[in-house]
């Protein structure tokens, strides 16, 4: 899957401004975090960005590049503004597309995942005649991640952990929409069948609400710990466990628990 990732504005175009923030800085930071999450955690995805630094790039240059590359999906990251009176998250697809189109189905999935983690008022799913939606030859979506001139939204934007959560929400949506498979990492490797070895799994939280588990994953990622959700059936109920490592050596698992708990997050070990 080829994703063209477009951080809005840049260079001589700062985008929206407010509360000491510039849209171009926020969109780039979120997009870089998103690229990192996708490339580090999923198979069969290639990400190309319209910009990876503070440079000027026209809208035509962005869509021409995505079209020439043959991207499968175009995702444009933006921050909104409206004289300080509005707040929240919304996203857009091209105005002429039906709600049953493939683009709309992809957007529906991504939208649902983003709003689980972004702590913003949900302003809904919309349509518009934006250049990047109109001139891109692939399915395309533009997300507006809060209002920079709203004090409450801006307070969130100033937090690195919030920007990482927004990136994580987009990543979760893209992974679900395009059926991406997670990469195996050394911390996730299972012992060979019949080896007789025990596997010590580090659990950094167990939740009934999946959204809470996903927020925990975002918080752990912000602290440098990769994790994922593993479901468990307890007394007939489904719990969403956040697994932050699995080790053949229990001492390594105990070390991981101590590291995570030093960050103010409780953790424990299950052995299988």
């Amino acid at each position: 899957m080829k994703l063209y990732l477009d951080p809005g504005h840049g260079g001589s175009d700062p985008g929206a401004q407010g509360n000491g923030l510039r849209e171009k800085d926020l969109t780039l930071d979120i997009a870089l975090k998103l690229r990192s999450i996708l490339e580090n955690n999923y198979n069969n995805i290639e990400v190309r960005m319209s910009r990876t630094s503070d440079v000027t790039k026209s809208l035509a240059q962005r869509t021409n590049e995505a079209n020439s590359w043959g991207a499968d999906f175009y995702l444009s990251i933006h921050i909104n503004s409206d004289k300080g009176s509005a707040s929240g998250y919304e996203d857009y697809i091209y105005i002429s597309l039906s709600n049953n189109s493939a683009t709309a189905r992809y957007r529906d999935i991504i939208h649902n995942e983003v709003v689980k983690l972004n702590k913003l008022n949900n302003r809904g799913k919309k349509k518009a005649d934006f250049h990047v939606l109109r001139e891109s030859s692939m399915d395309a979506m533009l997300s507006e991640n809060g209002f920079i001139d709203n004090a409450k939204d801006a307070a969130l934007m100033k937090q690195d952990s919030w920007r990482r959560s927004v990136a994580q929400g987009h990543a979760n949506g893209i992974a679900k929409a395009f059926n991406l498979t997670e990469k195996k990492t050394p911390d996730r490797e299972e012992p060979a069948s019949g080896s007789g070895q025990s596997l010590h799994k580090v659990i950094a939280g167990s939740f009934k609400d999946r959204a809470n588990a996903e927020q925990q994953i975002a918080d752990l990622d912000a602290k440098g710990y990769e994790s994922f959700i593993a479901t468990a059936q307890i007394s007939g109920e489904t719990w969403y466990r956040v697994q932050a490592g699995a080790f053949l050596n229990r001492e390594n698992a105990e070390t991981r628990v101590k590291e995570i708990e030093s960050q103010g997050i409780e953790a424990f070990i299950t052995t299988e």
Side-chain angles (χ1 to χ4, degrees):
M1 185 261 181
K2 296 167 71 173
L3 171 67
Y4 190 84
L5 181 55
D6 177 27
H9 307 281
S12 61
D13 175 15
Q17 300 178 74
N19 292 291
L21 299 168
R22 299 182 300 186
E23 181 179 6
K24 68 174 183 176
D25 302 324
L26 297 169
T27 60
L28 180 60
D29 187 59
I30 292 169
L32 288 170
K33 285 176 166 58
L34 173 54
R35 181 182 69 173
S36 177
I37 293 169
L38 290 171
E39 291 182 340
N40 290 334
N41 293 282
Y42 294 98
N43 297 306
N44 302 319
I45 181 165
E46 187 177 355
V47 181
R48 181 172 293 187
M49 294 178 61
S50 60
R51 63 185 183 95
T52 57
S53 60
D54 186 21
V55 297
T56 303
K57 198 164 190 177
S58 71
L59 294 175
Q61 285 177 310
R62 298 172 197 237
T63 51
N64 288 345
E65 187 173 88
N67 293 340
S68 296
W69 183 45
D72 297 306
F73 193 69
Y74 191 113
L75 176 62
S76 192
I77 304 293
H78 284 259
I79 305 291
N80 227 329
S81 67
D82 187 26
K83 301 178 182 178
S85 60
S87 67
Y89 170 84
E90 60 194 28
D91 45 41
Y92 293 84
I93 59 174
Y94 185 52
I95 193 169
S96 70
L97 294 172
S98 78
N99 292 332
N100 296 318
S101 64
T103 304
R105 291 195 298 271
Y106 289 141
R107 189 271 300 274
D108 290 347
I109 295 170
I110 296 169
H111 178 99
N112 290 340
E113 294 301 316
V114 172
V115 298
K116 289 178 182 178
L117 298 183
N118 66 8
K119 301 179 182 177
L120 293 171
N121 173 43
N122 183 359
R123 294 170 56 86
K125 296 173 281 189
K126 303 182 179 183
K127 299 178 182 180
D129 187 25
F130 296 144
H131 174 97
V132 297
L133 303 179
R134 182 183 66 249
E135 300 301 326
S136 51
S137 59
M138 69 293 303
D139 299 306
M141 167 185 158
L142 183 148
S143 65
E144 292 277 8
N145 298 276
F147 284 74
I148 203 167
D149 52 356
N150 177 277
K152 184 178 178 181
D153 286 8
L156 290 172
M157 293 174 191
K158 292 176 181 179
Q159 301 172 21
D160 182 77
S161 60
W162 179 84
R163 298 192 299 274
R164 191 172 295 277
S165 292
V166 170
Q168 185 69 58
H170 283 78
N172 292 347
I174 291 166
K176 185 174 288 188
F178 293 94
N179 298 311
L180 301 181
T181 58
E182 289 188 87
K183 289 181 177 179
K184 281 285 186 180
T185 70
D187 284 356
R188 296 187 196 176
E189 289 181 354
E190 302 286 338
S193 178
S195 67
Q197 292 178 295
S198 296
L199 189 67
H200 307 287
K201 297 181 178 180
V202 176
I203 308 300
S206 188
F207 306 88
K208 285 187 177 181
D209 188 338
R210 185 183 179 94
N212 292 336
E214 290 174 339
Q215 181 59 57
Q216 185 82 311
I217 287 174
D219 291 343
L220 284 164
D221 187 61
K223 299 177 186 299
Y225 295 101
E226 185 179 340
S227 59
F228 65 98
I229 293 175
T231 57
Q233 293 294 318
I234 302 174
S235 300
E237 293 184 309
T238 299
W239 287 76
Y240 300 97
R241 286 180 164 177
V242 176
Q243 185 172 323
F247 304 87
L248 297 177
N249 186 320
R250 186 178 178 89
E251 290 184 0
N252 291 339
E254 291 172 345
T255 297
R256 176 61 58 84
V257 167
K258 291 177 182 177
E259 290 174 351
I260 290 173
E261 290 188 334
S262 72
Q263 300 294 325
I265 299 173
E266 294 186 6
F268 61 91
I269 297 171
T270 63
T271 301
E272 299 178 3

